[in-house]
C-alpha cells in the first residue's frame, strides 16, 4: 500500500481487485528478502532473483505501450516518461548485473539440473556474463551515441545529405564493434564480430550460413522478379482504393480488423498507434496496435494480421518470466508474423473466407476474391524497403546485410567504407532491383536501424520469411491448409504453431536446432524459393 | 535500447519520439552512476538518488491506472500485474532504504542549505528514517494481513456478520499500533499512536485539534440537519432522473462532462473506470476517470468535477519529483476536490452557466437552474457514507474517527473494543443521524478502509471539507466568486488556488501552517459551519 501514491491508494483499497495490489507487497517481500524466501536450491533462488528484472522489463514494455498509445503526445510528457524509464532502466541494469546474481550462478550445481533447467541456466549465465562484460561507462557512451546518431540521421535525411550522418554512423559501427568484442570476451570459439552481432538478434545463426542462404535467394529472385514484372497478366490493384471521391472510414476498417483478429484467435487489446506494434506484459496480456489509411485498406489489415502472428506467439509462451520461456529469436518471432501476414493473409482461401466482410465493411463495388487476392499480391520495384512487396523485399534485406557485414568484418577502415555507403547502396539497388536512386533520402538514409546500432538486425527480416515458407510446407503435411483457412478453422493453425514453435520458447540454441528437432532438417531456403516461384507464376500467369 | 523487449525495441527505433527512449538510457547512467553524475554537493546527490524511487512510484501509479482503465479484466492479468508490481515494490523498497541514501543524509551540511532545501532535506530524512525503522518482516506481515483482512471483510460483509471480521480487524489495529510505535522510534515529542497515524495522512494535525474541531462541527450540524429536514420547502429531485421509460445515454453524459472538465481547465486524459480516481505520472500527465449511471446524471458529473480538483492540484505542483514538490496532505488534496465539487459544482451560478449544456445533453424537460441547484443540494439521512450529502457526510466521518481513536489510544484491550464495534457504531448512528441500522452490512461493515490498516484516514474527509469552505471565504475577498463562475472564468479560480495552495507543495509542515502563512489564521471550522448554515437555510427556505 505504501507504494501507491495518495490518490490511487484509497481508490485501490476501495476495489475488490486490490487483492492483487495487496498481494503485491506480500510477494514483494518474498521477492526481495532471502531470509523469507522458500527457495530450496540455488537454482530456484537464481530463477527467482532473475525473474525480478524480467518483471521490470515487462513494466518498461507497459510504459512504452502507454507512451505510444495512451499518453497525450506532448514534449513534456515524453521528457517525463524518459526520466521515468531512465530510473527503471537504472534498476534493471543493477538487478541484471548484481553480485548476488553472480554468486547464485556460481553456486548452482549444474549437473544436478534437468535438461530444461540446464538450458535456462546457460541462458541466464550468458545474459549475466554479457551484461557484466560491458562497463557502465561504455553503456553510457552507447546510449548517448544512439541518441546523437539518431538526431544526426534525422537531420541528414531531411536534407537528403548522407555526409551529415557519416561521422556519427562511423562512431556507431566502431562502438558496436567494441561492444561485440567486449561481449565475446576471450572468444574461445573465435567467432567474428558480425557473428556476435547476428547472435544478438538471431541466436546461433552464423554469418556463413546467412551468406550461403542469402546468395541462393538472390540468385533465384533477381530473374524471377524480371519475369514477373515482364508478364502481361499483372493483376489490377483498383480494388485497394475507395470509389472516386470517397474514403474508407476508420470505423468500418477497424470493425473489419476486429472481426478478422478475432477469427485468427487474438483476444487481447487492439488499439490504434502511429506505427503498428505488439507488446506483451505476460502471455495473458498481449496487446497489438494498428493504423489505417483512409485511401487504401490493405496496409492497415496486413499490419494487424502481421501483429497477430507476433501476438499469438507471445500468448502461447510459458508464462513464468525466465529466459527459457522467452521468444527464441527475432527471426522466429518474425516468422510467426510473416506466416500470418503472407501464408494466411495473402492466400486465396483467406479472401474467399472474408470476402463478405471485406465488401460489406469497405463498401467496395463487388470484386471477386480472386481479384482482391491478385491486388494484394501485386509486385512492383520500390526504392523504399517498408513499401516493398513480398517478392522484392528480400533484396532490400540482402543489400543492407552485405553492406553492414562488409563494414563490421571487412579489413578496410570503417570510416572509409562508411563514406562510400551511398555509392555501395546505389550500386546494389541498381544491380539487385534495377532502380536508380535519385538521392540519399530515398537511398541509404531511409532506415533508422543503424543509428540505433542495430547491426545484425536486418538479416532477421529474411531469415523469418524463409522460415515462414518452410512452416507452410510442413503444416500442409498435417492438414488441408486451404480448407482450414476457407472454413475459418484458425485455431487448428494456432494449435499447430503452439506445438511446433511457441511452446519451445528458447529451449533450442537456434532456429536451425529447433527445425532440426521438430522437422528433421534445418532452415532451408529452397522451400521459400519454390513457394515464391509457384505463387507468383500462378498470379502473373507465367505458364 | 537493451531494456526494451525485442518487439517494442524495433518499433521504438522506428519512431521519432524514441529520442526520449534513447535519452532514457543515457539519463539512466546519469541517474545510476555516481562517477558520471555531475552532482556538486551531497544535497544534490541526495535529491537525485531520492528522485529515483519517486520516479519508480510514478511508474507504479501508471501500472495501477492501466490495471483499472486499460488492462483486460481477467484474474490472470490481475495476478500477473500483481507480480510485476511486487517486483517494482521490491526495488522501490530497496531504493527507499538503501544505505547509500543513509550516507548521503549523513553527509549533507544542513546549515548551508536555503530554506526550501532545508525543508526538503527534513522530508527526505523523515521518509528514510520511517521506512528504515520498519523491519522487512513487519512490512511483510502487514502486507499479508491487509490481504487476509480484506478477504475476511468481504466475507463478513456478504453475510452481514461482523463477528467474521472482528479477529482480523483486531489484528489490523494491533499491527498498525506496532507500526506507528516503530515509526515513532524513541518518540521524543511523546505523541500518541493515533497522532502518528493521523500524521501519515494529515501531516502535522494532532489528535487534540481534530477532537476540538469535530466536536464543534457535530454540535452545530446535528440541530441544523433536524431543522433542514423539518422544512416544508425541500427541493424536488425529479430533474435528476430521466423522463419515464428513458435513460441518460453514456455518450451524452460524457460529452457534457468533457465540456465542463475543459471549462474548469483540466486538459489531461479522462477515461471511464469502475470507481472514479485521479492519478499523476508528472504534472504534465495527470489523468482522471469517471463513471456514469444511466438513471441519474448528477453523480457522474459530481465525480468528474471532484476529480478535476485533485487533478488541477497535481498539475500545478512543481515538476521535479522530490518530497517538497509533493501534495502537502490528504486533507489538502481533498480540499481541492471538494472545493470544485461543492463550492463550484454545487453553486447556483454554476448551473446558471451550464444550464444550456445540461438541458441539451441530457435532453431534460426544461428545468430552471434554481430547480437543478436545489435538486443536487437536497439533503436526506443515509446510513451509507458514500451516499451521504454534503450536510450529513461530516457525521459519518465523526463517527468513524471517534471509534478508531478510542481503539488506538484507549486503555481498553483492543479486542474488547473491536468486539463492541457494532454496538458503538449503531449507537452513534442513532445519536448523530437518528438512523436505526438494520444490520452490520449497512453499518460497521460498509467501509474497506480499516481492512487496509488505514487508520487516521477518515478524519481527512472532514478536515478537507472545512478547508474548502474556508478557501471559499478567502477567495471571495479576492474576486466576485459568483460572477467568475457565471462567466466561466475558471482560470481565475485555478490561478488563485495555484498561488495560495498548489505552488507550495509540501513546503509547510501542516495545513494549519500553510493557512497561517497565506491567510493569517489556521484551519477554522467556523467558516464551514457558517457556510453550511447560510447555504441550507437558503435552499430549504428556513428564514
Amino acid at each position: 500500500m505504501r507504494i501507491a501514491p495518495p490518490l490511487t491508494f484509497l481508490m485501490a483499497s476501495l476495489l475488490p481487485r486490490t487483492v492483487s495490489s495487496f498481494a503485491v507487497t506480500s510477494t514483494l517481500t518474498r521477492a526481495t528478502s532471502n531470509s523469507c524466501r522458500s527457495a530450496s536450491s540455488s537454482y530456484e533462488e537464481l530463477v527467482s532473483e532473475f525473474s525480478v528484472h524480467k518483471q521490470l522489463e515487462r513494466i518498461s514494455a507497459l510504459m512504452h505501450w502507454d507512451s505510444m498509445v495512451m499518453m497525450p503526445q506532448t514534449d513534456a510528457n515524453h521528457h517525463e516518461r524518459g526520466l521515468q524509464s531512465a530510473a527503471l532502466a537504472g534498476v534493471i541494469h543493477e538487478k541484471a548485473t548484481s553480485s548476488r546474481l553472480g554468486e547464485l550462478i556460481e553456486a548452482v550445481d549444474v549437473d544436478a539440473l534437468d535438461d530444461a533447467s540446464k538450458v535456462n541456466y546457460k541462458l541466464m549465465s550468458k545474459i549475466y556474463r554479457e551484461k557484466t562484460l560491458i562497463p557502465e561507462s561504455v553503456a553510457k557512451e552507447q546510449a548517448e551515441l544512439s541518441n546523437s546518431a539518431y538526431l544526426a540521421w534525422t537531420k541528414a535525411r531531411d536534407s537528403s545529405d548522407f555526409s551529415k550522418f557519416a561521422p556519427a554512423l562511423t562512431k556507431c559501427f566502431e562502438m558496436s564493434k567494441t561492444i561485440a568484442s567486449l561481449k565475446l570476451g576471450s572468444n574461445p570459439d573465435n567467432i567474428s564480430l558480425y557473428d556476435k552481432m547476428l547472435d544478438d538478434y538471431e541466436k546461433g545463426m552464423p554469418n556463413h550460413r546467412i551468406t550461403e542462404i542469402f546468395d541462393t535467394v538472390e540468385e533465384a529472385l533477381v530473374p524471377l522478379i524480371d519475369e514477373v514484372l515482364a508478364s502481361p497478366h499483372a493483376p489490377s490493384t483498383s480494388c485497394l482504393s475507395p470509389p472516386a471521391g470517397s474514403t474508407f472510414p476508420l470505423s468500418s476498417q477497424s470493425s473489419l480488423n476486429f472481426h478478422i483478429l478475432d477469427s485468427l484467435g487474438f483476444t487481447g487489446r487492439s488499439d490504434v498507434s502511429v506505427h503498428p506494434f505488439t507488446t506483451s506484459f505476460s502471455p495473458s496480456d498481449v496487446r497489438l496496435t494498428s493504423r489505417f489509411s483512409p485511401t487504401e485498406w490493405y496496409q492497415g489489415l496486413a499490419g494487424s494480421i502481421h501483429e497477430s502472428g507476433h501476438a499469438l506467439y507471445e500468448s502461447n509462451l510459458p508464462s513464468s518470466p525466465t529466459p527459457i520461456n522467452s521468444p527464441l529469436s527475432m527471426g522466429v518471432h518474425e516468422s510467426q508474423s510473416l506466416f500470418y501476414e503472407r501464408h494466411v493473409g495473402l492466400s486465396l482461401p483467406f479472401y474467399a473466407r472474408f470476402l463478405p466482410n471485406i465488401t460489406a465493411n469497405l463498401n467496395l463495388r463487388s470484386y471477386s476474391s480472386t481479384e482482391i487476392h491478385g491486388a494484394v499480391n501485386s509486385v512492383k520495384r520500390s526504392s523504399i524497403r517498408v513499401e516493398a512487396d513480398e517478392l522484392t523485399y528480400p533484396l532490400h534485406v540482402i543489400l543492407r546485410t552485405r553492406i553492414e557485414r562488409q563494414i563490421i568484418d571487412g579489413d578496410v577502415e570503417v570510416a572509409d567504407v562508411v563514406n562510400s555507403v551511398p555509392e555501395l547502396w546505389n550500386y546494389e539497388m541498381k544491380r539487385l532491383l534495377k532502380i536508380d536512386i535519385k538521392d540519399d533520402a530515398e537511398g541509404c538514409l531511409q532506415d533508422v536501424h543503424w543509428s540505433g546500432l542495430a547491426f545484425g538486425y536486418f538479416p532477421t527480416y529474411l531469415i523469418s520469411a524463409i522460415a515462414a515458407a518452410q512452416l507452410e510446407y510442413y503444416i500442409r503435411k498435417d492438414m488441408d491448409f486451404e480448407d482450414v483457412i476457407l472454413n475459418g478453422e484458425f485455431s487448428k493453425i494456432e494449435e499447430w504453431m503452439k506445438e511446433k514453435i511457441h511452446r519451445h520458447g528458447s529451449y533450442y540454441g537456434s532456429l536451425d536446432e529447433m527445425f532440426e528437432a521438430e522437422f528433421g532438417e534445418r532452415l532451408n531456403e529452397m522451400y521459400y524459393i519454390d513457394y515464391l516461384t509457384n505463387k507468383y507464376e500462378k498470379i502473373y500467369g507465367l505458364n
Side-chain angles (χ1 to χ4, degrees), chain A:
Chain A
M1 284 161 43
R2 285 261 158 279
I3 68 157
L7 287 179
T8 46
F9 153 72
L10 178 56
M11 289 314 310
S13 61
L14 286 175
L15 286 174
R17 67 176 65 110
T18 328
V19 172
S20 75
S21 95
F22 289 143
V24 163
T25 349
S26 64
T27 334
L28 128 77
T29 22
R30 226 176 306 111
T32 54
S33 141
N34 303 332
S35 56
C36 312
R37 196 192 296 130
S38 71
S40 63
S41 83
S42 308
Y43 174 75
E44 279 160 32
E45 275 192 65
L46 175 60
V47 169
S48 134
E49 194 71 21
F50 208 90
S51 74
V52 173
H53 89 251
K54 284 296 191 183
Q55 294 289 16
L56 297 177
E57 283 177 345
R58 289 176 166 185
I59 295 173
S60 78
L62 172 64
M63 295 169 71
H64 182 75
W65 176 85
D66 182 81
S67 70
M68 296 228 195
V69 183
M70 293 298 159
M71 187 177 80
Q73 298 298 304
T74 66
D75 292 351
N77 285 350
H78 283 292
H79 173 72
E80 291 292 341
R81 183 58 52 92
L83 296 176
Q84 291 155 15
S85 310
L88 186 59
V91 295
I92 290 174
H93 179 81
E94 288 170 22
K95 288 281 166 200
T97 58
S98 74
S99 52
R100 174 83 191 132
L101 268 187
E103 293 155 20
L104 289 167
I105 288 170
E106 282 308 309
V108 171
D109 170 8
V110 184
D111 305 335
L113 300 176
D114 59 45
D115 263 19
S117 305
K118 276 201 180 77
V119 172
N120 200 28
Y121 175 81
K122 248 183 76 185
L123 292 167
M124 289 187 284
S125 316
K126 185 184 178 195
I127 295 169
Y128 179 76
R129 192 180 59 254
E130 294 194 346
K131 283 193 195 287
T132 45
L133 280 170
I134 310 294
E136 193 155 17
S137 57
V138 176
K140 179 171 181 257
E141 262 182 83
Q142 181 200 1
E144 286 169 351
L145 176 57
S146 332
N147 199 352
S148 54
Y150 173 81
L151 297 171
W153 170 72
T154 53
K155 276 208 185 57
R157 189 194 47 185
D158 295 349
S159 57
S160 188
D161 177 358
F162 178 79
S163 69
K164 291 185 179 153
F165 181 44
L169 182 57
T170 304
K171 288 207 195 81
C172 291
F173 273 103
E174 281 159 349
M175 167 68 69
S176 59
K177 288 175 77 166
T178 311
I179 290 168
S181 37
L182 281 167
K183 283 185 184 166
L184 283 174
S186 54
N187 192 10
D189 330 342
N190 184 29
I191 67 175
S192 82
L193 294 182
Y194 194 57
D195 280 321
K196 179 57 201 147
M197 295 178 192
L198 288 168
D199 187 65
D200 288 342
Y201 300 108
E202 195 52 52
K203 192 171 42 163
M205 182 68 70
N207 186 1
H208 68 83
R209 278 276 290 146
I210 288 182
T211 311
E212 289 160 19
I213 294 171
F214 284 19
D215 289 351
T216 319
V217 170
E218 174 186 328
E219 223 165 279
L221 287 199
V222 171
L224 176 59
I225 293 168
D226 290 342
E227 246 191 300
V228 162
L229 291 179
S231 160
H233 312 300
S236 149
T237 58
S238 62
C239 68
L240 301 180
S241 322
S246 71
T247 60
F248 299 121
L250 182 112
S251 59
S252 38
Q253 287 193 68
S254 70
S255 68
L256 172 64
N257 261 40
F258 282 136
H259 174 69
I260 289 176
L261 285 174
D262 201 51
S263 315
L264 295 178
F266 174 71
T267 57
R269 273 194 76 94
S270 158
D271 298 274
V272 170
S273 71
V274 180
H275 295 262
F277 71 102
T278 297
T279 189
S280 167
F281 311 136
S282 80
S284 63
D285 188 5
V286 179
R287 308 181 187 183
L288 65 78
T289 69
S290 314
R291 69 171 162 195
F292 304 104
S293 151
T295 57
E296 202 271 10
W297 61 267
Y298 173 68
Q299 290 313 317
L301 179 61
S304 302
I305 298 172
H306 179 93
E307 297 307 326
S308 77
H310 284 306
L312 292 172
Y313 185 20
E314 291 285 341
S315 314
N316 290 321
L317 287 166
S319 134
S320 84
T322 193
I324 195 173
N325 295 342
S326 312
L328 176 59
S329 72
M330 293 300 293
V332 173
H333 225 308
E334 190 78 2
S335 76
Q336 298 304 297
S337 51
L338 290 181
F339 185 89
Y340 275 89
E341 177 190 342
R342 297 175 174 176
H343 301 271
V344 174
L346 281 176
S347 71
L348 187 52
F350 181 86
Y351 290 96
R353 171 79 192 174
F354 291 110
L355 186 63
N357 311 84
I358 291 172
T359 41
N361 279 282
L362 303 177
N363 182 24
L364 288 170
R365 286 177 290 104
S366 61
Y367 288 96
S368 72
S369 49
T370 319
E371 288 169 307
I372 296 178
H373 176 250
V376 297
N377 281 289
S378 68
V379 177
K380 70 178 202 312
R381 303 188 196 273
S382 159
S383 59
I384 306 300
R385 177 183 56 86
V386 296
E387 293 169 5
D389 50 75
E390 179 182 24
L391 190 61
T392 56
Y393 195 99
L395 300 178
H396 291 271
V397 177
I398 289 169
L399 176 156
R400 288 153 176 78
T401 306
R402 182 166 286 129
I403 294 176
E404 62 182 24
R405 175 197 294 128
Q406 189 173 340
I407 300 177
I408 301 290
D409 280 353
D411 320 325
V412 192
E413 269 301 302
V414 167
D416 301 343
V417 198
V418 166
N419 290 325
S420 63
V421 158
E423 292 65 40
L424 286 166
W425 190 285
N426 300 350
Y427 170 82
E428 289 289 328
M429 279 302 280
K430 184 74 179 176
R431 195 176 65 78
L432 296 168
L433 282 157
K434 310 205 168 30
I435 291 175
D436 294 303
I437 297 300
K438 69 174 190 314
D439 59 27
D440 296 345
E442 81 155 356
C444 57
L445 286 174
Q446 68 182 266
D447 298 308
V448 72
H449 302 54
W450 285 347
S451 74
L453 285 75
F455 306 109
Y457 191 106
F458 282 122
T460 66
Y461 287 133
L462 180 46
I463 297 294
S464 54
I466 297 166
Q470 201 164 344
L471 287 169
E472 180 182 331
Y473 174 84
Y474 296 130
I475 203 173
R476 286 176 174 279
K477 292 178 157 184
D478 295 339
M479 63 185 75
D480 183 331
F481 193 54
E482 260 106 21
D483 267 21
V484 164
I485 295 175
L486 194 60
N487 304 329
E489 301 168 301
F490 297 104
S491 62
K492 288 187 178 169
I493 298 174
E494 182 181 354
E495 278 313 308
W496 191 89
M497 283 298 177
K498 185 174 177 178
E499 172 65 21
K500 305 293 185 186
I501 308 290
H502 303 170
R503 72 182 171 97
H504 297 310
S506 286
Y507 177 75
Y508 293 107
S510 67
L511 172 54
D512 276 342
E513 250 187 49
M514 179 170 65
F515 272 26
E516 194 83 58
E518 274 296 337
F519 311 114
E521 77 187 306
R522 55 185 201 171
L523 189 71
N524 181 341
E525 64 278 12
M526 294 319 297
Y527 294 104
Y528 178 58
I529 293 167
D530 291 348
Y531 153 78
L532 290 175
T533 311
N534 300 332
K535 173 177 175 176
Y536 287 94
E537 281 181 352
K538 201 173 287 148
I539 294 175
Y540 279 78
L542 296 185
N543 36 15

